[in-house]
Amino acid sequence: MTKKLNAEGVIHYSLQFCHPYIVESMPAEAELEKAGIPTLRLETDYSQEDAGQLKTRIEAFVERVHRSEISRN
């Protein structure tokens, strides 16, 4: 799917304490990283308390994706 959509990175966003989805994300993340596709796993409870932390992590991930793109070219 990442090749079909020409994805430069993948963000897996899940609800905190939703264990089945978190467990499924780990093998998928490992395969994506092995394929050279940067990934970011985010867990949140949809409250506003973690909004600042999520923003910082997403910004860092976007920078990582851009660096990966530059190094490939």
Side-chain angles (χ1 to χ4, degrees), residues 8 65-73:
E8 296 176 17
V65 169
H66 286 296
R67 280 193 310 268
S68 293
E69 185 65 25
I70 290 169
S71 68
R72 280 185 278 199
N73 293 330

Side-chain angles (χ1 to χ4, degrees), residues 12-63:
H12 182 267
Y13 184 79
S14 66
L15 182 60
Q16 197 170 18
F17 309 115
C18 190
H19 191 70
Y21 293 109
I22 294 167
V23 170
E24 288 178 0
S25 72
M26 292 175 195
E29 181 179 341
E31 288 299 314
L32 289 164
E33 291 286 345
K34 192 177 356 176
I37 300 170
T39 62
L40 174 65
R41 186 178 337 130
L42 297 176
E43 299 173 42
T44 183
D45 61 1
Y46 296 119
S47 68
Q48 290 297 313
E49 284 93 36
D50 61 354
Q53 180 190 36
L54 290 174
K55 181 178 185 280
T56 300
R57 290 185 63 202
I58 293 167
E59 288 171 345
F61 178 71
V62 169
E63 288 177 22

